[in-house]
Amino acid sequence: MSALAGRVAIITGGASGIGAATARLLAERGARVVIADIAEDAARAVAAEVGGHAFRLDVRDADAIEALADRVESEIGPSRIVVTCAGLVQAPLPPEDMPVELFDDITAVNQRGTWLTLRAFARHMLPRHEGEMVTISSVSYTHLRAHETEADL
């Protein structure tokens, strides 16, 4: 039997990409998977594929994250694994070309959303003295300007 068998694993951003792949692997290894994503239909599709649960979640919303952590605990079981994969991908822009609103949105999802998620689920995990938290970020691609070469990076 797998060490993950029956453990509740929450994956933010689990409706696509690395998050969906993580959900599939955890489910394959026996975890009870919870997909939390702003893309509700895609989250439901992945959850149906892996026999898990799906919830719409905007990681910019602290109250929604707290409510999800409470709901998972009461309806599904003790959270044992949290994987944060929610993130916004944008073309790399030099600071002078990036609108402040875009920067704020990326920061709200990629950084603050990760912190809010870890904080909400830690409140349940710490009293039990058990659980794992994994944060994932990625660079989807590298864009070189016409005058740059890989040696310039």
Side-chain angles (χ1 to χ4, degrees):
M1 179 179 283
S2 167
L4 298 178
R7 291 182 182 218
V8 175
I10 300 91
I11 301 102
T12 64
S16 63
I18 294 170
T22 301
R24 290 181 185 106
L25 181 62
L26 289 170
E28 180 182 301
R29 303 242 170 117
R32 296 170 54 208
V33 174
V34 176
I35 308 296
D37 201 294
I38 198 165
E40 187 173 10
D41 290 341
R44 287 177 195 238
V46 173
E49 176 188 334
V50 301
H53 305 270
F55 296 95
R56 185 188 184 286
L57 178 69
D58 182 343
V59 297
R60 294 172 290 199
D61 184 341
D63 292 336
I65 297 169
E66 292 287 344
L68 177 64
D70 292 342
R71 189 170 178 191
V72 167
E73 291 284 322
S74 66
E75 295 179 15
I76 299 168
S79 51
R80 297 283 299 275
I81 301 164
V82 175
V83 182
T84 63
C85 292
L88 295 179
V89 178
Q90 86 292 334
L93 296 170
E96 67 273 14
D97 293 340
M98 181 180 284
V100 171
E101 297 80 11
L102 176 59
F103 175 82
D104 288 345
D105 206 30
I106 291 165
T107 302
V109 172
N110 296 6
Q111 295 174 339
R112 185 174 184 266
T114 295
W115 178 77
L116 289 171
T117 300
L118 298 177
R119 183 182 77 159
F121 284 93
R123 290 186 176 152
H124 294 284
M125 295 171 136
L126 287 171
R128 292 191 296 266
H129 302 286
E130 64 180 7
E132 291 80 31
M133 295 183 160
V134 178
T135 62
I136 296 176
S137 65
S138 71
V139 176
S140 61
Y141 63 93
T142 301
H143 172 76
L144 299 177
R145 294 183 188 151
H147 64 279
E148 292 178 325
T149 67
E150 286 187 31
D152 294 324
L153 298 177

